[in-house]
């Protein structure tokens, strides 16, 4: 199985470690919410038909929802 | 008395508004920031000879704006000459996301603003498994730390006392990454007096309003020269700060198991489920719809009756004459027309605040965003759209809860297309007149047409959102990234404050406009340019000498209406409405129903000499009105006034037109702009006219 993927392609229940964000198209808000390189995350819920994705940022213990279009711009390593 | 401006700053959902309510009690007002549709909440607090002017800033995660809301925050903080520039910033945090609040705190201090730090929701620390070494935190932040529980009011006294303190000196800890040092040196020349961090902010801001054109050009030039982008700077600042804070907080914040998250996860297994989640939400929507549609009805009837009783009582007490009529028919009826919406507004906002307070609203956005995004709307738009099917007034108001200003504006602009309950009487009358009875595939044809009109409402709302989305420019890209809070029991005080704020805001803000328009319409209907209006009785007596009693009275009323200003305007606009298949009598109906759609039926009844209190739900009265309308001929065409073509044209006109001054008033209040209100009025009326025109010309 491929190890380096984007956040949008993970399935519910999978965990990953963020490796990189596409800075040019994602605002600083994403960093503040905890999407920083090295952060461990878990996919908690996915809305059907490519709807938003709900992610647990494990270090902060918070749930963050984001659109799939933005999740595609975040690369992560499956663990 | 000393005066001090205080700004509450923090992430969304940390309890800023709850604290604000605690601090200001009800000494607050809600408006818009000048020129933008961002909610401005300000209030006052007097304590020990100091008057504090408190501002509840919109929630934000960074000082780098991605939305109009966040822009307002940065502008307020950075514009040192602005009247809202704070003398003290109160940074509000909650235990689970302490680090994020500290970043904001540091940024504010390094800009040179005095700040204190509030840790709210201290009651949740045990449940969330967090313990904090407050002494160490105080040393790290170099300021007093106040622990509060905005729900119970614990710690508020101490916070109020602390508003007077001046925090100790602050030394910037942010190390500008070495690779930007040279660029920063150049930028400093543009701002010789500014703090180093303010200069950095100017360099890293995409677009800062407080700079002069020269300064902005200078910044752009420096960025080009060094090949750097604002995004890089923002990212690197964020990474540096987080790394540093992770190290600093390691000893200060100890995390154990978060029990709140475990409970939340259990509930979310149902509420966010891809199937069950939608089923539950549909149930909630139906409940809300039922509540505004049905539960409010008895209350509305009661208000309606009380006001007509009051009007009757007053007209009996006051000496007869235009003044008494202005008072009873113009003012009392006008106020009645405002108050009547209160039950629906109160009921809808109890539901909405409940959903916001518990944290369910974030789940709604999560579930619905996918379906509304293609139209430029947001997951939260579903509440205004759905409640628009009962009444557009509370619905438009509920769009306040949408954070993104463009999506909020779009939602408000299209919500009035939804088929509200006021359209129903018109639909019933006209469908009854022009659509044949009978069945189609086992369905009642008249029922099918009515259903089709409801669908038309939804389709036109979404389609116009789609079109407007192309034309309305947004300064900021549409992102959706938000925190999903853990579930909480609602704080009923917040619910009550919210409902109170919405209802009183409606009564005062929209009420003024509604009252003014009702009085204008009353004047137009109660005065005429010549003696045919004032001497109607003798004219009717000569034309129809056989009439007497009630019949004479209604004939006079109808004659007066024809010769009032309203009547003449109806005839004046006849050339405009003739292509739609209407005559001047229907023109009068169109104009007077501008007050509210349901007025159409009453006005038509007066025009057709039936007296204005026709009850559409009473079969006998309805039949009389139907008979009268069926026999009516259009003097332009010589054909029945209500034939299939003109009927369809009328249905379409009412489906699309903004025939409701209360909605106009609310849109004006909520958008804070006449421009958008008039654009909406224009395009709704335009579509209505075109649709009615095409339908009539094709069908006639
Ligand atoms: N348990 C607890 N809940 C709080 C406290 N303060 C606010 N809340 C709740 O947190 C939620 C968000 O509060 P709100 O004032 O709207 O936050 P804002 O977005 O920062 O203005 C609401 O459900 C409040 O009832 C607190 O001290 N303790
Ligand atoms: Mg708030």
């Amino acid at each position: 199985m491929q190890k380096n993927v984007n956040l949008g392609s993970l399935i519910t229940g999978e965990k990953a470690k963020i490796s990189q964000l596409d800075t040019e198209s994602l605002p600083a808000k994403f960093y503040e919410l905890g999407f920083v390189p090295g952060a461990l995350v878990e996919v908690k819920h996915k809305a059907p038909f490519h709807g938003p994705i709900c992610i647990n940022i494990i270090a902060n213990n918070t749930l963050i929802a984001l659109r799939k279009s933005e999740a595609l711009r975040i690369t992560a390593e499956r663990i | 008395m000393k005066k001090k401006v205080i700004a509450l700053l923090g992430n969304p959902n940390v309890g800023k508004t709850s604290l604000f309510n605690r601090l200001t009690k009800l000494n607050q007002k809600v408006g818009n920031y000048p020129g933008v549709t961002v909610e401005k909440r300000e209030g006052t607090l007097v304590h020990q000879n100091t008057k504090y002017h408190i501002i509840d800033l919109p929630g934000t995660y960074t000082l780098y704006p991605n939305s109009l809301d966040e822009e307002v925050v940065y502008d307020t903080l950075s514009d040192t000459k602005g009247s809202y520039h704070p003398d003290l910033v109160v940074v509000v945090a909650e235990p689970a996301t302490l680090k994020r609040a500290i970043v904001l705190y540091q940024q504010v201090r390094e800009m040179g603003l005095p700040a204190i730090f509030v840790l709210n929701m201290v009651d949740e620390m045990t449940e969330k498994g967090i313990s904090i070494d407050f002494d160490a935190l105080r040393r790290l932040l170099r300021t007093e730390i106040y622990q509060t529980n905005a729900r119970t009011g614990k710690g508020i006294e101490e916070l109020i006392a602390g508003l007077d303190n001046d925090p100790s000196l602050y030394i910037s800890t942010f190390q500008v990454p070495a690779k930007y040092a040279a660029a920063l040196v150049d930028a400093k020349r543009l701002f010789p007096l500014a703090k180093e961090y303010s200069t950095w902010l100017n360099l890293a801001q995409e677009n800062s309003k407080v700079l002069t054109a020269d300064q902005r050009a200078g910044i752009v030039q420096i960025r080009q020269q060094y090949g750097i982008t604002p995004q890089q700077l923002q990212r690197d600042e964020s990474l540096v700060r987080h790394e540093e804070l992770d190290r600093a907080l390691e000893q200060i914040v100890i995390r154990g198991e978060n029990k709140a998250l475990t409970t939340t996860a259990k509930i979310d297994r149902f509420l966010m489920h891809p199937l069950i989640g939608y089923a539950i939400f549909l149930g909630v929507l139906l409940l809300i719809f039922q509540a505004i549609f049905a539960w409010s009805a008895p209350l509305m009837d009661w208000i309606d009756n009380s006001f007509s009783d009051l009007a009757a009582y007053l007209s009996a007490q006051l000496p007869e004459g235009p003044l008494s009529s202005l008072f009873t028919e113009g003012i009392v009826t006008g106020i009645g027309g405002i108050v009547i919406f209160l039950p629906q507004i109160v009921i809808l906002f109890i539901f909405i605040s409940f959903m916001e307070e518990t944290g369910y609203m974030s789940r709604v956005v999560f579930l619905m965003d996918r379906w509304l995004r293609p139209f430029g709307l947001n997951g939260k738009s579903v509440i205004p759209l759905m409640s628009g099917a009962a009444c557009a007034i509370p619905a438009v108001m509920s769009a306040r809860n949408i954070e993104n200003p463009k999506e909020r504006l779009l939602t408000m602009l299209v919500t009035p297309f939804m088929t509200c309950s006021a359209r129903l009487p018109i639909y019933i009358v006209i469908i009854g007149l022009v659509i044949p009875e009978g069945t189609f595939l086992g369905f009642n044809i008249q029922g099918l047409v009515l259903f089709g009109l409801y669908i038309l409402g939804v389709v036109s709302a979404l389609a116009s959102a789609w079109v407007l989305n192309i034309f309305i420019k947004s300064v900021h890209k549409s992102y959706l990234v938000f925190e999903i809070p853990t579930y909480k029991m609602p704080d009923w005080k917040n619910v009550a404050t919210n409902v109170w704020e919405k209802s009183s805001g409606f009564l005062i803000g929209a009420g003024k406009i509604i009252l003014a328009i009702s009085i204008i319409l009353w004047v137009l209907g109660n005065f005429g340019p010549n003696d045919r209006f004032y001497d109607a009785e003798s004219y009717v007596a000569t034309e129809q000498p056989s009439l007497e009693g009630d019949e004479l009275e209604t004939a006079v009323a109808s004659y007066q209406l024809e010769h009032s200003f309203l009547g003449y305007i109806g005839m004046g606009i006849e050339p405009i409405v003739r292509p739609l298949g209407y005559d001047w009598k229907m023109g009068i109906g169109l104009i007077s129903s501008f007050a509210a759609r349901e007025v159409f039926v009453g006005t038509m009844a007066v025009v057709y000499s039936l007296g204005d209190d026709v009850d559409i739900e009473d079969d006998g009265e309805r039949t009389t009105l139907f008979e009268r309308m069926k026999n009516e001929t259009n003097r332009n065409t010589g054909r029945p006034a209500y034939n299939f073509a003109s009927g369809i044209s009328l249905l379409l006109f009412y489906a699309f037109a903004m025939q409701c001054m209360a909605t106009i008033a609310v849109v004006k209040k909520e958008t804070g702009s006449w421009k958008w209100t008039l654009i909406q009025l224009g395009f709704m009326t335009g579509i209505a006219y075109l649709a009615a025109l095409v339908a009539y010309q094709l069908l006639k």
Side-chain angles (χ1 to χ4, degrees):
Chain A
M1 200 161 56
Q2 204 185 350
K3 261 194 102 186
N4 272 313
V5 289
N6 65 60
L7 263 193
S9 60
L10 295 175
I11 57 170
T12 309
E14 271 189 309
K15 288 189 181 162
K17 185 165 153 192
I18 308 270
S19 38
Q20 203 189 333
L21 276 76
D22 174 5
T23 331
E24 294 309 310
S25 58
L26 294 179
K29 194 171 174 180
F30 282 79
Y31 293 99
E32 293 309 328
L33 284 169
F35 292 100
V36 288
L40 296 182
V41 297
E42 179 184 351
V43 178
K44 283 291 196 186
H45 305 273
K46 289 183 94 168
F49 298 97
H50 306 290
I53 300 170
C54 176
I55 281 171
N56 179 9
I57 310 266
I58 292 168
N60 302 353
N61 230 337
T62 50
L63 293 174
I64 311 285
L66 73 167
R67 282 185 181 153
K68 182 149 186 188
S69 48
E70 272 95 63
L72 295 179
R73 300 173 195 282
I74 301 175
T75 37
E77 216 175 284
R78 269 206 191 92
I79 45 174
Chain B
M1 200 162 16
K2 239 183 8 177
K3 276 192 183 154
K4 221 169 159 178
V5 179
I6 310 268
L8 298 180
L9 175 72
N11 293 167
N13 278 318
V14 295
K16 293 180 300 302
T17 304
S18 308
L19 276 177
F20 174 79
N21 287 341
R22 282 276 170 193
L23 292 173
T24 61
K25 307 278 176 6
L26 283 175
N27 296 319
Q28 46 172 279
K29 62 174 197 232
V30 186
N32 280 318
Y33 285 91
V36 286
T37 56
V38 175
E39 188 172 83
K40 182 167 89 189
R41 206 181 278 274
E42 49 186 323
T44 52
L45 161 74
V46 177
H47 181 75
Q48 291 190 348
N49 219 24
T50 309
K51 186 167 182 179
Y52 296 102
H53 187 96
I54 303 179
I55 309 164
D56 182 16
L57 289 173
T60 184
Y61 293 105
T62 77
L63 291 186
Y64 298 108
N66 291 297
S67 70
L68 279 178
D69 286 41
E70 292 166 358
E71 229 170 70
V72 160
V73 175
Y74 182 68
D75 291 349
T76 310
L77 296 178
S78 61
D79 183 4
T80 45
K81 289 180 212 75
S83 49
Y84 291 110
H85 188 70
D87 300 309
L88 180 74
V89 178
V90 176
V91 178
V92 186
E94 61 101 19
T97 56
L98 184 64
K99 188 171 72 175
R100 291 202 305 236
I102 297 180
V103 172
L104 274 180
Y105 170 81
Q106 292 180 332
Q107 290 177 317
V108 167
R109 291 298 310 254
E110 288 166 22
M111 281 171 83
L113 287 165
I116 55 176
F117 198 83
V118 174
L119 187 71
N120 189 36
M121 302 196 186
V122 282
D123 53 307
E124 292 195 339
M125 280 174 58
T126 356
E127 201 195 355
K128 289 190 170 165
I130 296 166
S131 52
I132 295 172
D133 178 349
F134 282 98
D135 283 326
L137 188 60
R138 189 173 302 120
R139 281 194 298 275
L140 178 71
L141 300 185
R142 291 166 173 275
T143 190
E144 203 49 55
I145 294 168
Y146 298 89
Q147 301 178 45
T148 58
N149 176 346
R151 290 197 161 190
T152 59
K154 188 175 146 251
I156 301 289
E157 287 303 314
E158 289 83 348
L159 173 60
I160 291 179
L163 294 179
D164 200 27
N165 293 346
D166 280 318
S168 61
L169 210 66
Y170 191 80
I171 300 142
S172 177
T173 51
F174 173 54
Q175 293 289 329
V176 172
K179 56 183 163 181
Y180 303 123
L184 193 63
V185 169
D186 279 3
K188 273 183 189 160
R189 289 201 200 102
L190 291 173
F191 312 99
L193 296 175
K195 290 219 180 292
E196 174 166 285
Y197 183 65
S198 299
T199 310
W200 164 266
L201 272 177
N202 286 331
L203 196 60
Q205 282 298 356
E206 225 155 322
N207 189 355
S208 172
K209 282 204 200 107
V210 292
L211 300 186
T212 64
D214 283 352
Q215 288 170 328
R216 231 172 293 166
I219 291 285
V220 170
Q221 202 248 322
I222 294 174
R223 286 203 292 243
Q224 269 167 2
Q225 185 187 337
Y226 290 92
I228 52 180
T229 63
Q231 285 81 7
Q232 283 171 358
L233 270 64
Q234 292 172 17
R235 175 197 60 194
D236 288 342
E237 176 182 347
S238 189
L239 292 181
V240 168
R241 285 190 193 276
H242 277 273
E243 224 166 89
E244 197 187 309
L245 274 179
D246 278 339
R247 228 174 304 124
L249 290 179
E250 212 170 2
Q251 303 300 321
I252 300 179
V253 181
I254 314 291
R255 283 173 187 276
E257 190 208 351
N258 186 340
K259 291 201 197 76
L261 211 59
T262 325
T263 326
T264 294
K266 277 185 199 145
I267 304 176
D268 277 337
R269 226 173 282 156
F270 296 98
L271 295 191
M272 289 175 85
H273 187 273
L275 228 78
I276 305 170
Y278 283 97
I280 295 176
F281 179 53
L282 189 69
V284 171
L285 273 187
L286 288 177
L287 183 70
I288 296 180
F289 186 68
Q290 173 72 11
I292 2 182
F293 203 77
W295 301 355
S296 64
L299 279 168
M300 293 174 77
D301 283 345
W302 179 77
I303 293 174
D304 200 18
N305 291 336
S306 311
F307 271 90
S308 36
D309 287 352
L310 180 64
Y313 172 78
L314 285 176
S315 70
Q317 296 296 312
L318 296 169
E320 214 169 295
L323 212 63
S324 141
S325 160
L326 165 68
F327 208 71
T328 56
E329 286 166 37
I331 297 177
V332 174
T333 316
I335 295 177
I338 303 162
V339 176
I340 193 139
F341 292 113
L342 272 188
Q344 294 184 326
I345 291 174
V346 169
I347 292 178
L348 179 60
F349 280 100
I350 289 177
F351 275 104
I352 290 182
S353 329
F354 182 84
M355 287 163 71
E356 292 268 2
E357 279 284 313
T358 51
Y360 184 54
M361 194 61 102
S362 307
R363 277 75 183 177
V364 170
V365 181
F366 179 81
L367 291 175
M368 293 311 295
D369 185 67
R370 166 68 188 87
W371 310 104
L372 292 162
R373 191 186 56 213
F375 306 101
L377 303 173
N378 171 297
K380 279 191 189 176
S381 311
V382 73
I383 303 285
L385 288 177
M386 184 68 195
S387 24
C391 178
I393 290 141
V396 166
M397 291 169 69
S398 69
R400 277 246 152 149
N401 301 294
I402 301 172
E403 286 87 6
N404 181 309
K406 180 182 168 182
E407 292 166 342
R408 181 188 317 151
L409 180 63
L410 270 180
T411 308
M412 291 191 283
L413 292 181
V414 306
T415 294
F417 276 118
M418 299 296 289
T419 304
C420 66
S421 50
R423 285 180 173 100
L424 213 51
I426 305 177
Y427 287 174
I428 294 176
V429 171
I430 301 190
I431 289 177
L433 277 175
V434 304
I435 306 292
E437 282 178 47
T439 57
F440 176 76
L441 296 176
F443 289 102
N444 177 312
I445 296 182
Q446 294 188 338
L448 281 180
V449 171
L450 189 61
F451 181 69
L453 286 164
Y454 270 91
I455 301 289
L456 183 66
V458 180
V459 171
S460 49
L462 292 180
S464 36
W466 189 82
V467 173
L468 287 168
N469 183 31
I470 299 172
F471 289 108
I472 300 179
K473 291 212 178 53
S474 177
V475 213
H476 298 286
K477 268 202 210 150
S478 160
Y479 296 106
L480 188 78
V481 56
F482 59 99
E483 195 169 351
I484 298 206
T486 49
Y487 287 106
K488 282 189 173 59
M489 284 305 286
D491 180 350
W492 294 106
K493 239 172 117 185
N494 277 354
V495 174
T497 316
N498 192 3
V499 170
W500 163 254
E501 181 192 302
K502 292 295 185 309
S503 330
S504 56
F506 168 76
L507 280 184
I508 296 160
K512 284 187 294 211
I513 306 178
I514 301 175
L515 192 59
I517 303 183
S518 349
I519 292 175
I520 294 174
L521 280 173
W522 174 85
V523 169
L524 293 179
N526 283 275
F527 292 92
N530 52 39
D531 70 335
R532 283 180 180 271
F533 178 84
Y534 300 103
D535 246 352
E537 267 173 61
S538 52
Y539 279 95
V540 174
T542 29
E543 283 175 22
Q544 297 164 280
S546 61
L547 290 182
E548 55 186 40
D550 272 358
E551 280 190 351
L552 179 67
E553 224 170 85
T554 45
V556 169
S558 133
Y559 192 87
Q560 275 197 315
L561 183 56
E562 277 174 36
H563 294 94
S564 65
F565 286 111
L566 197 61
Y568 283 103
I569 296 176
M571 288 185 237
I573 65 161
E574 198 177 12
I576 307 173
V577 298
R578 191 180 298 151
L580 311 185
Y582 315 150
D583 62 4
W584 64 272
K585 291 184 181 174
M586 294 154 95
I588 297 182
L590 289 189
I591 293 178
S592 62
S593 69
F594 184 71
R597 297 178 183 90
E598 61 270 29
V599 172
F600 181 77
V601 176
T603 313
M604 291 331 273
V606 175
V607 178
Y608 299 135
S609 318
L610 291 171
D612 62 2
D613 43 4
V614 170
D615 186 355
I616 275 301
E617 270 143 39
D618 180 302
D619 281 339
E621 290 187 21
R622 189 172 58 207
T623 324
T624 337
L625 180 66
F626 274 17
E627 281 308 310
R628 194 65 198 78
M629 290 174 86
K630 261 197 187 124
N631 295 330
E632 183 67 20
T633 47
N634 182 325
R635 70 167 181 204
N636 305 321
T637 59
R639 298 174 50 204
Y642 298 92
N643 52 43
F644 184 68
S646 70
I648 295 290
S649 148
L650 210 51
L651 283 179
L652 288 175
F653 186 86
Y654 275 103
F656 293 123
M658 166 66 108
Q659 290 282 95
C660 177
M661 62 183 181
T663 309
I664 297 177
V666 165
V667 170
K668 158 70 182 66
K669 175 171 179 291
E670 295 295 312
T671 57
S673 121
W674 276 113
K675 180 183 130 198
W676 285 114
T677 314
L678 293 176
I679 288 178
Q680 177 184 40
L681 180 62
F683 78 69
M684 290 187 71
T685 316
I687 296 175
Y689 189 85
L690 276 180
L693 179 73
V694 170
Y696 182 72
Q697 296 300 336
L698 287 179
L699 295 171
K700 77 168 177 190

